[in-house]
Amino acid sequence: MSETIALPRLEEDVQPRLAVRRVLGVARDAWPRILMPLIIGIASLGAWEIAVVVNDVPPWIVPAPSVILATLLRDWHTLSVSLWITLQITFAALAVAAGLGLLLAILFAQSKWIELSLFPYAVILQVTPIVAIAPLIIIWVNNVKLALLICAWIVAFFPILSNTTLGLNSADHNLRDLFRLYRASRVQELFLLRLPAALPLFLAGLRISGGLALIGAIVAEFVAGTGGQASGLAYRILESGYQLQIPRMFAALFLICVTGIVIFLVLGLIQHLLLRHWHESAIRREG
Amino acid sequence: MAKRFTDGTLALSGVDLDVGQGEFLSLLGPSGCGKSTLLRILSGLIEPSAGSLDWLTAAQQTRGAAQPKLGFVFQEPTLMPWATALANVALPLRLAGMSRSEREDRAASALARVGLAGFETAYPRALSGGMKMRVSIARALVTCPDILLMDEPFAALDEITRFRLNNDLLSIWQEARFTVVFVTHSVFESVYLSERVVVMAARPGRVVREIAIEIPYPRDETFRTSAEYASLCRTVSLGLGEAIAA
């Protein structure tokens, strides 16, 4: 029978392409994506610097980028401690959101009744403004760090829950029939079919939640004010505002932005690594 | 082996059909005639609302739920996109709790049987439509089923690929001699492949004719171009025409 089959050659698709031209270790056609935003960024900072110097704007109104950088380096010690605290809260909140979101989504997928009865409450949690409930949580929970974590978690958890629930329910119906046909147990169906099918949507939810966890951590700390031992970046911004240390405020703001970007990129990388073999979103198209 | 059922709903009505062991049977009919429904009832995925399905095996002459081993090939390849060809084929064995090395050996030989040796690590998206369907057939064969149920498996493929898969399916069937129930809406495919064509009509879904195709196997391109084939296709076409008019 084998001689009747002339299979098309698929090596190009199956094996990783080796012929990607690299410049300094990065694929050549990836350079514009790195360089263009960088050029725009440097140009805007340059314009900002010139505008501040030429118009003689005082630093307590708008500090020049060079002053912000100098402040960042000078105050690195205090700022890095704050950054570390904010990072801890953000990642703890994201981890709990991912874990609980996933577990709850699995629970929802087990029974329509559970989903019907609990989902509205998840929505309520999502639509309640975090600034409005943060003071309550801070009153109820003695440990400030834990209170901030809960706030950040509330903000971060819904995208993961709703995306994963959708993903678990969107497994191919024929595949589900196939699993039934071979008498798969519920556990087998969950681990071999539903969870892999939900992975792309879970990761998309995680990417949204990464940014939200950071925002939640910062907002909650603003609400908590200066009352805590947990003095993250938001606390530094408040403190700098009271002391009219505007360059330090900008330096803290800069750190928050960089953190957000790094979280986004890291989660994107995880998404790419996990999906690159099979999901349409992670596959580069030719031409 | 015999089976019989009647379905009270409109999907199928008064269907009474016997399928012999090792037989290659085609269900032919217009869309909406319930041939896929019949196949799903055979597979146990849905229950008939009236009537029953009896399996009589040589070993146990008892009627009832003693279901033989089934393989099912869907209209689409229905592969798990996140798994390699080998893992896809090994899935039924994995669900049955077979050890990794054993199921991978068997999956690899099933892949080789459908002409896909060397593609074990390929992901479905890297395979052509015909190759995906081959993987799907390998998955159905990996459990060494007694009955292979196929639901218009080649409908979405181009004619060249379809002819090639027809030939390969026939040679696999001749080697292993499992029972095949093949749903199709192609007259030419049903005549080329099967020993018996069951023509069905729609609204309500029912069996209107059975036509035996008494041509010995192996059948090949000579058969496909013979006058005999043409006249059988004509007979079956007329039967299908009556079924559509009925």
Side-chain angles (χ1 to χ4, degrees):
Chain A
M1 168 196 132
S2 57
E3 62 274 5
T4 62
I5 302 160
L7 293 169
R9 296 177 69 77
L10 282 194
E11 276 83 353
E12 265 176 63
D13 282 343
V14 175
Q15 286 171 3
R17 274 164 298 140
L18 299 170
V20 179
R21 267 190 255 166
R22 289 177 176 278
V23 180
L24 296 175
V26 177
R28 208 173 67 159
D29 47 353
W31 271 109
R33 209 193 300 193
I34 300 169
L35 283 180
M36 291 314 289
L38 219 57
I39 290 169
I40 297 288
I42 290 168
S44 337
L45 287 177
W48 178 354
E49 181 84 36
I50 290 165
V52 169
V53 171
V54 167
N55 296 315
D56 209 11
V57 183
W60 60 84
I61 294 179
V62 179
S66 59
V67 177
I68 297 171
L69 183 67
T71 315
L72 183 65
L73 295 175
R74 196 194 63 213
D75 294 346
W76 176 246
H77 183 67
T78 36
L79 285 174
S80 65
V81 171
S82 299
L83 174 65
W84 178 235
I85 289 168
T86 301
L87 280 180
Q88 278 179 325
I89 293 169
T90 303
F91 281 106
L94 187 61
V96 177
L100 275 183
L102 188 63
L103 280 180
L104 211 55
I106 289 173
L107 192 69
F108 284 4
Q110 297 312 305
S111 141
K112 211 77 214 153
W113 286 103
I114 301 177
E115 187 181 347
L116 281 176
S117 10
L118 290 185
F119 204 78
Y121 295 97
V123 176
I124 290 172
L125 212 56
Q126 155 78 0
V127 296
T128 313
I130 188 66
V131 250
I133 44 173
L136 283 175
I137 294 170
I138 288 159
I139 290 168
W140 290 335
V141 181
N142 262 329
N143 184 336
V144 177
K145 221 169 178 175
L146 185 63
L148 297 185
L149 196 152
I150 291 172
C151 293
W153 167 75
I154 288 175
V155 180
F157 131 101
F158 190 76
I160 294 179
L161 172 69
S162 81
N163 267 24
T164 313
T165 305
L166 181 66
L168 288 171
N169 287 329
S170 57
D172 183 334
H173 280 249
N174 280 337
L175 272 173
R176 283 164 79 170
D177 281 347
L178 189 83
F179 272 67
R180 269 180 58 205
L181 209 64
Y182 289 115
R183 304 207 166 76
S185 65
R186 284 180 85 92
V187 177
Q188 282 176 325
E189 192 185 323
L190 180 67
F191 280 96
L192 297 178
L193 176 61
R194 283 169 174 252
L195 282 177
L199 185 65
L201 278 162
F202 168 75
L203 290 173
L206 195 66
R207 217 169 166 183
I208 300 169
S209 294
L212 288 179
L214 180 65
I215 292 172
I218 301 283
V219 168
E221 208 190 356
F222 264 109
V223 177
T226 50
Q229 321 91 309
S231 12
L233 284 173
Y235 171 74
R236 288 292 157 226
I237 290 178
L238 280 175
E239 183 197 53
S240 310
Y242 294 140
Q243 301 170 354
L244 277 183
Q245 295 257 25
I246 308 302
R248 197 160 72 181
M249 225 167 139
F250 271 89
L253 197 59
F254 172 75
L255 284 179
I256 293 173
C257 286
V258 170
T259 308
I261 293 168
V262 170
I263 291 174
F264 185 77
L265 290 177
V266 168
L267 291 176
L269 182 69
I270 293 174
Q271 195 175 22
H272 176 77
L273 290 178
L274 287 175
L275 301 182
R276 64 186 162 162
H277 284 305
W278 65 277
H279 200 254
E280 300 297 333
S281 67
I283 284 155
R284 299 247 314 270
R285 286 161 60 97
E286 297 292 324
Chain B
M1 181 178 58
K3 67 146 203 64
R4 171 195 323 181
F5 73 86
T6 0
D7 188 328
T9 66
L10 275 177
L12 286 168
S13 164
V15 176
D16 189 340
L17 191 67
D18 293 321
V19 184
Q21 192 163 353
E23 187 182 14
F24 200 125
L25 178 89
S26 283
L27 299 176
L28 177 72
S31 17
C33 72
K35 49 195 193 304
S36 292
T37 311
L38 181 55
L39 202 69
R40 293 172 84 81
I41 290 172
L42 280 176
S43 72
L45 280 174
I46 49 179
E47 296 277 318
S49 31
S52 66
L53 187 65
D54 297 333
W55 305 104
L56 294 178
T57 55
Q60 49 181 104
Q61 291 289 325
T62 49
R63 293 160 50 119
Q67 206 188 17
K69 266 195 283 183
L70 290 174
F72 200 107
V73 180
F74 295 88
Q75 196 169 352
E76 293 91 36
T78 316
L79 303 176
M80 302 179 291
W82 53 84
T84 60
L86 189 72
N88 265 295
V89 173
L91 176 75
L93 305 176
R94 183 167 187 187
L95 293 176
M98 187 182 281
S99 75
R100 190 190 181 93
S101 58
E102 196 181 347
R103 68 174 188 252
E104 287 189 346
D105 282 351
R106 285 179 59 175
S109 70
L111 270 177
R113 232 167 132 195
V114 296
L116 282 183
F119 287 95
E120 287 82 1
T121 55
Y123 284 83
R125 66 164 307 281
L127 301 172
S128 67
M131 295 167 91
K132 280 185 211 164
M133 196 40 90
R134 285 174 190 277
V135 175
S136 188
I137 293 171
R139 179 180 59 194
L141 293 176
V142 79
T143 53
C144 303
D146 305 312
I147 305 177
L148 186 61
L149 303 171
M150 306 181 88
D151 189 2
E152 299 185 36
F154 309 142
L157 300 177
D158 62 272
E159 199 163 69
I160 300 165
T161 312
R162 188 197 286 210
F163 283 177
R164 206 189 272 157
L165 278 163
N166 282 166
N167 290 335
D168 291 348
L169 176 63
L170 276 186
S171 56
I172 292 169
W173 171 69
Q174 277 168 253
E175 278 169 33
R177 281 285 168 171
F178 39 80
T179 309
V180 183
V181 180
F182 190 97
V183 165
T184 178
H185 47 222
S186 160
V187 170
F188 307 103
E189 194 170 55
S190 67
V191 172
Y192 185 70
L193 290 175
S194 46
E195 296 174 292
R196 189 154 57 105
V197 178
V198 171
V199 182
M200 293 180 69
R203 277 170 295 274
R206 62 201 186 273
V207 173
V208 287
R209 262 189 91 174
E210 290 185 25
I211 300 160
I213 311 291
E214 284 158 341
I215 306 293
Y217 296 87
R219 298 174 182 172
D220 53 19
E221 295 309 317
T222 340
F223 173 58
R224 209 190 272 282
T225 48
S226 68
E228 242 176 338
Y229 177 65
S231 86
L232 280 166
C233 286
R234 192 180 142 78
T235 315
V236 174
S237 275
L238 288 173
L240 184 62
E242 283 164 24
I244 294 170

